[in-house]
Amino acid sequence: MRPPACWWLLAPPALLALLTCSLAFGLASEDTKKEVKQSQDLEKSGISRKNDIDLKGIVFVIQSQSNSFHAKRAEQLKKSILKQAADLTQEWFLGKALHDEEATIIHHYAFSENPTVFKYPDFAAGWALSIPLVNKLTKRLKSESLKSDFTIDLKHEIALYIWDKGGGPPLTPVPEFCTDDVDFYCATTFHSFLPLCGKPVKKKDIFVAVKTCKKFHGDRIPIVKQTWESQASLIEYYSDYTENSIPTVDLGIPNTDRGHCGKTFAILERFLNRSQDKTAWLVIVDDDTLISISRLQHLLSCYDSGEPVFLGERYGYGLGTGGYSYITGGGGMVFSREAIRRLLASKCRCYSNDAPDDMVLGMCFSGLGIPVTHSPLFHQESPRGKTMEHRSKKQCIWDMKARPVDYPKDYLSHQVPISFHKHWNIDPVKVYFTWLAPSDEDKARQETQKGFREEL
């Protein structure tokens, strides 16, 4: 049995805490009045409304972020949402289904014997919950704390939470949730064009900082030079050893096996203190990061470097108990100059050189009231399955390494990725030229994307 096709874009405000989304809209009495007036107008014109259901039975949630660009688009979407109807009698969890082809570390090897059996939603297509399920989840969230400290792959974790080891409904695949070519039956659509909100940011306005160390000069740096280095106008390699042939800059920070917080803050200070250099954007990547600078130029056209922007792939720590979001480091952390200025003007610093830099930055920006901005186009960058029971314990486990092969094909099929991380068990040069290198297809997208609205 499958639900009516008209059930879509439903989500509970109470579940928003779990989703760590920063913007929600409940369309309540005022919107309902508007719908009633529209209904009366249609009845006067002789158009049948016998299949319509009052909007009082439906809750709409728009997932968005605090950044002004996202807030504006959320407001636009709010105004454009159409009436939908649902028979609210059963617990339904609906969406476009994704599944893992093989057990993957980003999902902690869940369902390792048969990973294809577990389905989770592709957020790009939208997903839906029936009101009975909303009510059930609301009660559960109020009565029990979340069991996981970390939010890594939200769509998979949401599906696990709703399924509840068989106590809740699995995801029901619904073909009306679409990300591919639009068909007559599609209730949702998704455009995979790179966002472009004006002219792409100039290369001279993006400074790229590559974190490395002596032991990786011989194997990782040549990959960077063979792939994406030529795209960057401004780039420096920061190491624990000066090697003129690369060249590298020794920041005077000893290399650490993990964390690299001391090195990252030294990079931030070096960037800000260059009085002759007023470059608008700083990108910090690892020496085994694969990145498309040209696509990043397009993405940054949608953000104001005069605002405090901290951009990349967002993870979360302790979000159910007043924690914070952070940008994972390996796929690239993007800072506006203003964000760095405010950060360094504060007293927030590393508690040790080997503290996890991305999590410390997340804590610092959270304390400053500066939200991190998520883009799914950055991929599982050194997300390293961290476990940090408390800041003072200084303990982390760094073991998560995700590559294109770790993602469902359907998930990547509608993306124009900006980065991937790790050379482990892959040919990084092949991955770069397959997924990230500038191409004629990218140029064609630039010409055809005008007039479309893109999802970030």
Side-chain angles (χ1 to χ4, degrees):
M1 178 181 179
R2 56 168 298 186
C6 56
W7 288 23
W8 61 288
L9 295 176
L10 310 181
L15 195 58
L16 206 56
L18 175 66
L19 302 180
T20 71
C21 299
S22 60
L23 188 59
F25 298 101
L27 304 186
S29 57
E30 291 300 317
D31 292 327
T32 302
K33 292 176 182 178
K34 294 178 183 178
E35 293 300 322
V36 170
K37 185 178 186 301
Q38 292 175 3
S39 176
Q40 293 171 344
D41 291 341
L42 288 174
E43 288 173 359
K44 290 178 180 179
S45 64
I47 300 176
S48 173
R49 294 292 300 271
K50 64 181 180 180
N51 292 325
D52 282 4
I53 294 178
D54 196 329
L55 272 180
K56 290 180 179 179
I58 302 175
V59 175
F60 292 84
V61 170
I62 300 173
Q63 294 175 240
S64 187
Q65 305 183 71
S66 298
N67 182 275
S68 60
F69 170 64
H70 294 273
K72 180 180 178 181
R73 300 186 67 165
E75 182 64 23
Q76 292 171 343
L77 180 57
K78 174 187 174 182
K79 294 177 180 178
S80 69
I81 291 178
L82 300 176
K83 300 179 295 295
Q84 301 298 316
D87 177 11
L88 307 178
T89 60
Q90 300 185 54
E91 294 179 1
W92 287 106
F93 175 29
L94 315 176
K96 177 184 176 181
L98 300 173
H99 67 267
D100 296 332
E101 294 293 338
E102 58 184 53
T104 174
I105 194 169
I106 63 176
H107 297 152
H108 306 290
Y109 298 110
F111 306 94
S112 56
E113 294 184 0
N114 183 12
T116 64
V117 72
F118 186 73
K119 306 296 191 295
Y120 52 97
D122 188 339
F123 281 179
W127 52 292
L129 305 174
S130 65
I131 291 299
L133 180 56
V134 169
N135 294 334
K136 176 182 177 180
L137 293 173
T138 300
K139 291 179 181 178
R140 183 179 169 197
L141 285 166
K142 290 180 178 179
S143 63
E144 64 181 54
S145 59
L146 300 175
K147 295 181 174 61
S148 176
D149 286 335
F150 285 87
T151 301
I152 303 298
D153 186 5
L154 187 61
K155 56 188 178 296
H156 191 270
E157 292 158 13
I158 286 288
L160 281 174
Y161 184 83
I162 293 173
W163 178 63
D164 193 22
K165 297 181 179 179
L171 179 72
T172 298
V174 177
E176 284 80 3
F177 290 90
C178 303
T179 58
D180 303 321
D181 294 335
V182 179
D183 210 332
F184 69 92
Y185 59 80
C186 289
T188 65
T189 62
F190 183 87
H191 296 295
S192 61
F193 299 118
L194 271 170
L196 184 61
C197 303
K199 293 182 179 180
V201 171
K202 295 178 180 179
K203 289 184 179 181
K204 67 181 183 64
D205 291 325
I206 302 174
F207 188 95
V208 183
V210 182
K211 294 187 299 180
T212 188
C213 61
K214 183 179 180 181
K215 67 179 179 180
F216 293 133
H217 287 185
D219 55 355
R220 293 186 179 179
I221 300 304
I223 299 299
V224 176
K225 290 182 175 293
Q226 190 177 351
T227 55
W228 60 267
E229 184 198 66
S230 62
Q231 286 192 51
S233 175
L234 302 172
I235 184 170
E236 282 187 341
Y237 296 87
Y238 297 105
S239 181
D240 57 342
Y241 178 78
T242 300
E243 188 164 331
N244 293 330
S245 62
I246 293 176
T248 61
V249 176
D250 185 354
L251 293 170
I253 305 294
N255 187 54
T256 56
D257 290 334
R258 60 195 62 178
H260 312 299
C261 193
K263 181 183 290 184
T264 296
F265 270 78
I267 292 171
L268 295 172
E269 290 173 358
R270 178 180 172 88
F271 175 81
L272 192 65
N273 292 334
R274 287 182 169 183
S275 58
Q276 78 280 10
D277 183 0
K278 297 301 181 183
T279 309
W281 299 97
L282 171 67
V283 184
I284 299 180
V285 298
D286 290 351
D287 52 10
D288 56 352
T289 299
L290 301 170
I291 189 168
S292 170
I293 300 299
S294 61
R295 294 176 185 174
L296 181 62
Q297 291 175 257
H298 281 71
L299 179 66
L300 292 182
S301 71
C302 295
Y303 298 95
D304 183 353
S305 62
E307 296 180 359
V309 179
F310 184 32
L311 171 69
E313 184 172 21
R314 179 182 59 192
Y315 282 9
Y317 176 71
L319 293 172
T321 55
Y324 55 88
S325 296
Y326 61 97
I327 299 298
T328 61
M333 298 184 290
V334 183
F335 306 79
S336 66
R337 177 172 286 273
E338 177 62 15
I340 298 173
R341 187 193 67 78
R342 295 194 191 185
L343 172 66
L344 297 183
S346 74
K347 296 181 180 180
C348 194
R349 294 295 187 274
C350 308
Y351 52 80
S352 68
N353 280 341
D354 67 349
D357 53 353
D358 47 9
M359 295 184 72
V360 170
L361 286 167
M363 288 187 287
C364 290
F365 280 118
S366 176
L368 291 170
I370 297 173
V372 303
T373 300
H374 170 70
S375 171
L377 306 182
F378 298 81
H379 289 93
Q380 275 346 13
E381 328 79 27
S382 197
R384 330 164 167 108
K386 302 173 190 164
T387 299
M388 188 168 71
E389 295 179 7
H390 193 274
R391 291 178 61 182
S392 61
K393 292 189 177 181
K394 307 177 185 179
Q395 297 176 348
C396 299
I397 298 174
W398 309 76
D399 61 2
M400 189 168 288
K401 305 172 183 179
R403 307 141 297 155
V405 295
D406 290 310
Y407 300 90
K409 292 179 180 179
D410 281 350
Y411 177 68
L412 292 179
S413 67
H414 57 71
Q415 285 199 349
V416 184
I418 285 176
S419 69
F420 290 105
H421 183 230
K422 291 291 182 187
H423 298 170
W424 177 63
N425 280 357
I426 62 170
D427 179 346
V429 175
K430 182 178 180 181
V431 167
Y432 174 78
F433 283 101
T434 299
W435 292 96
L436 300 169
S439 64
D440 292 338
E441 184 179 355
D442 280 346
K443 295 178 182 178
R445 287 193 187 101
Q446 295 177 28
E447 294 300 321
T448 58
Q449 67 185 345
K450 296 178 181 178
F452 286 94
R453 296 176 179 239
E454 308 83 24
E455 289 294 331
L456 297 184

